[in-house]
Amino acid sequence: MTGIGGGVELGAQAARSRALAVLRVRSRALAVALLPAAVAVILLAGGSTGHLVGGGWDAARWAVSVLALLVLAATAAVALVVARARPAVTPTVAVAEESAPDLYRMVRDLADRLDVPAPSAIALTPDCDSWLEDRTHPAHGPPPARDHDDLSDPVGPARRRSAAAPVLVIGSPFLWWMRVGELRAVLAPVVAGTGPAAHPDIAAARRFIRGLDAAVAATSTDGRGPLARAARGGIGGVSRLLLRGCRVHAAEMERGVAAAAAERAQAVDYGLRIVAQEQVGLAYAGWDRLLTRVALPAWRMGRWPSRLDVGVVAALTELSRRDRLAEGFASRLGERPACDLLEEPGLMDEAVSLLAARLFHGGPAETGPDWAPVGWEEYPEEVVDRAWRTDAARLHRVLDTLGVRRAAEGAAPGTDGPTLSRVLDHLTTTPAEAPVPARDPAADADPDASPDPDATPGTAHHATPGTGTATPDDQATSDPQAATASDPQAATAPDAQAATTPDPQPFTTPDDQPADAPAAPGSADHSDDGNGTEDDDDDLAGTTPRGAALAAGLSAQLAREEARTQALASGTAPPPPGTTTGPAATGTALWDDRALPLLPLQPPRTGREILTAHITAMVCCAAMDTAGATPGLDWLDGPTLLVDGARRADLALHVRSLVETGDPAPLRAWLSDLGVRPEKPVRLV
């Protein structure tokens, strides 16, 4: 305990010294602002006593006095903006003590054992992280009570704002995946951060830095006139200058706070914390996979899964079953889950799921006809089947615009509907046709070089997630999310150490992805070039001219549909402050929700991905309508095609062969083995 106490003391001393350094930057800035006024006072006093007389001294008095007034006015403006600017707040779902008494009791006991103030409140966030967040700014609402033993949220005096403890924000996947003991061990170093946060110097330094950061954000918007723009630019420049002066000291201060909190938390469940950190990594990987491969296709269809946290448990359970990650996994699941600390975990999961849809996709704040919840048992029919048929319908509409015949000459009656044969015949490459060649780097470097006419249909452009790419004619009007809000820095808080999570890459590698997943629109994998995205210039290089033209048409159609959706959404007013969704307020009054999504999940889909997804959707529709296949949900890979109750893991390879080479033989053989009749019309929506 002596070593632990020494480490805590050293970390706290380092944090306090850095906090004083930050406050010295503030004091120096104030001294510089007051210097002209001090000189003016000296000159005026000298003139009144007859010591500094003469024309030169009179001119100096006037000049310095005017300068002092201007500097004081500018200083007052900067101080007013810094004081009134609203610091960024994490979008969360508030957890009242009556809805989670056991959770509050556990946190209170943990704080007592660590000998630190208890957090003022608890909130949930749809993320795999936990931290402390200061919400004592007047814009954040009434402060919680000061009582150390009470984590409820009554209204307290305004003069106690600076003494209020921060709010404990817990990642909701932790509650559903972790056991009670594991959650306690993970939260120990986070709760320990309330001790340094209560120190007056550290609290004052943090308020100063948050105020500067909020002032920079507030002045980043354009003013209505030249004078307003000049004023905003000046105030923002001063705030940035002060932030740069505090940057090193603030970073070292937070390191000291984290070191002191981690050292103090070693006295609580140290051995269990090592095991709990492994579960943090698993929760992160399962949550990321569930959002990108399962939730995102549903969000794009106007449905939001209402039990995301339950889904992450199912996904990780399936992952452990397939890969046998750890021995004794079943016995661990037999222990009490942390979600039992909530009185109504289902309602809380629903509120967090809706908030996740808003943050990661930009959905509305309330349920409506085009934004309805969906349960996991309804997911295959309500999301997978509908998504495939919607993509198939879009594919045939684009084929109509390209003038592709609905049926070949001499075809039997009744085969002129939306058939898979129409798609296969159109994409089949004749010997006279050649794939689109790769771009010539020399031609790209020469702006005067004439483009390859065969490569023109394959030109790809970025669009928003869910819309694909856009043609040059549609690019100006098909970027509905060009003006997204900057990250409110809600995912990082100076008060706590976020739980370290291992790299989830082993769960998202191409080798781990089954060949038929995802078969739904919008869930195609993204090939990495080292930066996480494909080389867009070579997106359709190597495909056929017909495939490139079809991909461009699909991209343009998707962009137009998304633009119309965004135009309709922009006409709706945001919910008034205090609007509640589910069991608790999601904090819409505390953060800027005018530009969503704040945290988009995936980069824009490329033309090749869009084309592949639409062809796959058409194949799945034909399999369901003519061969008795059914849509399914895989917890790790999202929408999937089931044949006789088993997943088909070999569809993507044959579709890729058709897209890249124009050879339909492998896909036709696959269809024949499955009993699919491509000449039969399919049902579309």
Side-chain angles (χ1 to χ4, degrees):
M1 292 300 296
T2 303
I4 293 177
V8 172
E9 185 64 26
L10 289 177
Q13 288 181 356
R16 292 167 189 169
S17 64
R18 291 295 182 169
L20 292 176
V22 171
L23 296 179
R24 281 195 294 270
V25 172
R26 184 183 65 179
S27 300
R28 290 167 185 165
L30 182 60
V32 171
L34 295 177
L35 182 60
V39 175
V41 170
I42 293 174
L43 292 176
L44 291 173
S48 63
T49 58
H51 290 84
L52 304 177
V53 295
W57 289 110
D58 292 338
R61 270 189 289 271
W62 278 104
V64 175
S65 298
V66 171
L67 176 62
L69 290 176
L70 293 177
V71 173
L72 288 176
T75 303
V78 173
L80 183 63
V81 171
V82 172
R84 297 187 62 182
R86 183 177 64 179
V89 176
T90 308
T92 57
V93 175
V95 181
E97 184 170 8
E98 56 270 17
S99 64
D102 292 341
L103 179 60
Y104 272 77
R105 188 178 303 109
M106 184 191 76
V107 173
R108 184 185 300 118
D109 294 342
L110 189 59
D112 289 339
R113 184 172 178 181
L114 294 170
D115 194 22
V116 296
S120 59
I122 298 177
L124 298 184
T125 181
D127 196 4
C128 290
D129 203 352
S130 297
W131 63 88
L132 295 173
E133 188 167 281
D134 185 2
R135 296 185 178 179
T136 58
H137 192 276
H140 299 160
R146 190 180 180 181
D147 188 1
H148 171 84
D149 293 328
D150 188 8
L151 281 79
S152 60
D153 194 18
V155 177
R159 59 185 174 85
R160 294 182 178 177
R161 289 185 184 275
S162 60
V167 175
L168 174 62
V169 181
I170 306 175
S172 64
F174 292 167
L175 284 174
W176 270 260
W177 175 244
M178 290 185 174
R179 309 298 101 178
V180 173
E182 295 170 348
L183 180 65
R184 176 186 174 91
V186 168
L187 293 181
V190 182
V191 175
T194 60
H199 192 273
D201 293 335
I202 296 177
R206 285 174 167 174
R207 285 196 302 271
F208 178 58
I209 294 172
R210 284 196 299 269
L212 292 176
D213 184 71
V216 171
T219 57
S220 61
T221 57
D222 294 335
R224 295 184 178 180
L227 184 60
R229 285 195 295 269
R232 287 176 178 271
I235 296 174
V238 173
S239 301
R240 292 185 184 91
L241 179 63
L242 293 176
L243 275 178
R244 284 195 295 269
C246 299
R247 180 181 305 167
V248 175
H249 299 303
E252 293 299 327
M253 178 183 69
E254 299 306 332
R255 289 191 183 97
V257 169
E263 196 73 24
R264 183 181 295 274
Q266 287 186 4
V268 179
D269 301 332
Y270 179 74
L272 184 58
R273 192 180 311 126
I274 299 176
V275 179
Q277 288 299 328
E278 300 178 358
Q279 305 306 321
V280 169
L282 283 176
Y284 185 92
W287 183 251
D288 176 75
R289 194 150 181 167
L290 182 76
L291 292 181
T292 56
R293 302 193 181 186
V294 178
L296 188 58
W299 294 339
R300 286 171 174 163
M301 298 306 299
R303 306 297 297 271
W304 55 277
S306 58
R307 295 293 186 270
L308 284 179
D309 291 304
V310 172
V312 76
V313 176
L316 291 175
T317 303
E318 177 66 15
L319 181 65
S320 64
R321 184 190 65 81
R322 291 185 190 178
D323 299 339
R324 298 178 181 178
L325 294 177
E327 296 294 335
F329 183 81
S331 61
R332 176 187 172 275
L333 291 182
E335 301 175 6
R336 184 189 182 192
C339 63
D340 282 355
L341 299 174
L342 304 174
E343 289 293 309
E344 296 180 300
L347 293 179
M348 198 64 64
D349 191 5
E350 183 176 352
V352 173
S353 300
L354 181 56
L355 179 59
R358 300 204 68 203
L359 293 179
F360 299 119
H361 185 67
E366 297 179 351
T367 299
D370 298 327
W371 188 245
V374 60
W376 293 124
E377 65 281 356
E378 304 167 350
Y379 187 95
E381 291 295 330
E382 296 292 333
V383 176
V384 181
D385 182 84
R386 181 183 169 196
W388 285 344
R389 298 190 187 278
T390 300
D391 270 14
R394 185 183 299 108
L395 177 63
H396 282 279
R397 286 198 302 270
V398 174
L399 289 176
D400 291 338
T401 61
L402 295 177
V404 180
R405 290 172 177 256
R406 285 212 169 234
E409 295 183 1
T415 59
D416 57 347
T419 63
L420 178 59
S421 294
R422 183 193 188 196
V423 179
L424 299 179
D425 294 341
H426 175 69
L427 293 177
T428 300
T429 301
T430 62
E433 295 175 323
V436 176
R439 289 180 178 268
D440 185 1
D444 291 339
D446 184 5
D448 297 329
S450 59
D452 188 343
D454 293 334
T456 302
T459 303
H461 299 269
H462 272 303
T464 58
T467 63
T469 60
T471 62
D473 294 337
D474 295 313
Q475 185 68 18
T477 59
S478 62
D479 193 6
Q481 297 175 6
T484 57
S486 61
D487 186 358
Q489 299 181 355
T492 58
D495 305 328
Q497 274 288 82
T500 303
T501 58
D503 183 9
Q505 185 64 24
F507 305 102
T508 56
T509 55
D511 294 337
D512 189 47
Q513 166 74 5
D516 71 330
S523 49
D525 287 340
H526 295 269
S527 301
D528 281 350
D529 61 357
N531 296 323
T533 58
E534 280 190 348
D535 186 357
D536 297 325
D537 291 338
D538 296 331
D539 172 35
L540 293 176
T543 59
T544 64
R546 291 184 178 183
L550 184 56
L554 289 170
S555 301
Q557 179 67 22
L558 276 168
R560 284 191 291 268
E561 293 176 6
E562 183 68 15
R564 286 194 296 268
T565 302
Q566 291 294 331
L568 293 175
S570 62
T572 59
T579 299
T580 58
T581 302
T586 57
T588 55
L590 304 182
W591 54 285
D592 186 5
D593 60 352
R594 292 172 295 180
L596 294 170
L598 297 179
L599 305 170
L601 287 178
Q602 289 182 330
R605 290 187 294 170
T606 62
R608 185 196 300 269
E609 292 170 341
I610 292 174
L611 179 60
T612 301
H614 281 72
I615 296 175
T616 302
M618 186 63 199
V619 172
C620 292
C621 290
M624 290 188 296
D625 290 350
T626 65
T630 57
L633 167 63
D634 185 90
W635 290 111
L636 298 176
D637 301 309
T640 186
L641 183 67
L642 302 178
V643 179
D644 296 331
R647 298 173 58 219
R648 295 296 304 203
D650 52 353
L651 173 58
L653 180 63
H654 305 313
V655 173
R656 191 179 305 118
S657 175
L658 175 65
V659 170
E660 294 177 354
T661 66
D663 182 12
L667 182 56
R668 288 188 181 274
W670 186 89
L671 296 172
S672 178
D673 292 340
L674 211 63
V676 179
R677 302 183 60 182
E679 74 281 0
K680 289 290 186 179
V682 299
R683 178 174 59 86
L684 305 178
V685 295

